[in-house]
Amino acid sequence: QSVVTQSPSASGTPGQRVTISCSGSSSNIGSNPVTWYQQLPGAAPKLLIYGNTQRPSGVPDRFSGSRSGTSASLGISGLQSEDEAEYYCAAWDDSLSGPVFGGGTKLTVL
Amino acid sequence: EVQLVQSGAEVKKPGESLKISCKGSGYRFTSYWIGWVRQMPGKGLEWMGIIYPGDSDTRYSPSFQGQVTISADKSTSTVYLQWSSLKASDTAIYYCASPGGYSYGSVAFEIWGQGTMVIVSS
């Protein structure tokens, strides 16, 4: 069981905005920046958000991140069919002295 | 182009040893940390450990300490993940990943290998 938890599934229709949440503790999300990854079916994960809110070059601004206390959220606006994927949050954990991943949220575009 | 290219799929029997590889190119190999991530069938991502090829500084997740060995060969710009005695529960896809210019502690792994499928079955 992950020390960082995510809802297993989320869904939305094209054009809609969806939010994916991630909950941790004071030793990870509460004290370290959060990262989000997108994993399309059959592909390697792709860095989507780092430093809680920053987008790497090439990531559309439809994707946004936020953090509050020991929780974080990934927002996807203008939902598109190609956004259907698994989304993972991650953060450094001070107790484990290493990264921890959330269990993942499968996003379905209806 | 900065990339990590992993070795091909493996099918092994329980008790056998295995070493899979991840070759870096397009950047100064000794400058970027490279880590390994496990993804068991239908499951999420798990952090295994990481190495800094410049000085072979290696860190392991407590869950994987003693279970695997991570090493690097600067002469071939390659990082390895090895097992001395495989178990069926090692069946998974293994990804190498690097934070590139980001710090290791940022957990911002911007460069990923394509993954290596390891199947352990009698």
Side-chain angles (χ1 to χ4, degrees), chain A residues 33 35 37 39 43-45 47 50 56 88 90-92 96-99 101 103, chain B residues 37 39 43-47 62 95 102 104-110 112-114:
Chain A
T35 303
Y37 294 91
Q39 187 176 31
L47 180 63
Y50 68 95
Y88 294 92
W92 184 268
L96 298 176
S97 294
F101 288 95
Chain B
V37 175
Q39 187 166 39
K43 301 298 184 183
L45 306 173
E46 298 175 89
W47 180 253
Y95 294 101
Y102 299 114
Y104 163 34
S106 71
V107 197
F109 295 92
E110 65 170 342
W112 289 74
Q114 80 276 21

Side-chain angles (χ1 to χ4, degrees), chain A residues 28-52:
Chain A
N28 43 65
I29 294 176
S31 53
N32 295 294
V34 176
T35 303
W36 290 92
Y37 294 91
Q38 176 194 60
Q39 187 176 31
L40 297 171
K46 170 189 171 183
L47 180 63
L48 210 55
I49 298 286
Y50 68 95
N52 301 319

Side-chain angles (χ1 to χ4, degrees), chain B residues 5-112:
Chain B
V5 178
Q6 298 184 228
S7 50
E10 302 273 1
V11 179
K12 291 289 193 179
K13 290 182 167 39
E16 292 186 331
S17 62
L18 176 64
K19 194 173 190 177
I20 62 175
S21 67
C22 169
K23 183 176 176 61
S25 63
Y27 70 98
R28 188 174 173 184
F29 177 72
T30 52
S31 298
Y32 291 171
W33 290 86
I34 296 180
W36 288 95
V37 175
R38 181 175 79 174
Q39 187 166 39
M40 298 177 75
K43 301 298 184 183
L45 306 173
E46 298 175 89
W47 180 253
M48 300 179 72
I50 197 166
I51 189 167
Y52 187 72
D55 60 7
S56 292
D57 183 4
T58 309
R59 321 278 177 87
Y60 292 94
S61 160
S63 298
F64 292 92
Q65 178 83 48
Q67 307 305 308
V68 296
T69 301
I70 296 171
S71 59
D73 182 342
K74 288 188 281 191
S75 68
T76 59
S77 300
T78 303
V79 168
Y80 298 96
L81 176 66
Q82 69 180 80
W83 296 258
S84 58
S85 180
L86 287 161
K87 302 185 275 288
S89 56
D90 292 319
T91 294
I93 297 174
Y94 293 88
Y95 294 101
C96 61
S98 173
Y102 299 114
S103 70
Y104 163 34
S106 71
V107 197
F109 295 92
E110 65 170 342
I111 312 161
W112 289 74

Side-chain angles (χ1 to χ4, degrees), chain A:
Chain A
Q1 183 137 1
S2 302
V3 298
V4 173
T5 58
Q6 299 179 237
S7 296
S9 63
S11 63
T13 56
Q16 203 174 22
R17 175 180 172 83
V18 297
T19 301
I20 294 172
S21 299
C22 174
S23 179
S25 67
S26 58
S27 66
N28 43 65
I29 294 176
S31 53
N32 295 294
V34 176
T35 303
W36 290 92
Y37 294 91
Q38 176 194 60
Q39 187 176 31
L40 297 171
K46 170 189 171 183
L47 180 63
L48 210 55
I49 298 286
Y50 68 95
N52 301 319
T53 62
Q54 305 301 302
R55 286 186 310 277
S57 174
V59 173
D61 59 7
R62 300 189 296 106
F63 294 91
S64 62
S66 65
R67 181 186 72 168
S68 178
T70 59
S71 296
S73 295
L74 173 70
I76 309 173
S77 60
L79 199 61
Q80 300 178 2
S81 58
E82 55 260 41
D83 297 332
E84 188 159 289
E86 194 86 24
Y87 291 86
Y88 294 92
C89 61
W92 184 268
D93 189 285
D94 294 330
S95 299
L96 298 176
S97 294
V100 288
F101 288 95
T105 297
K106 181 172 173 54
L107 174 64
T108 301
V109 180
L110 302 169

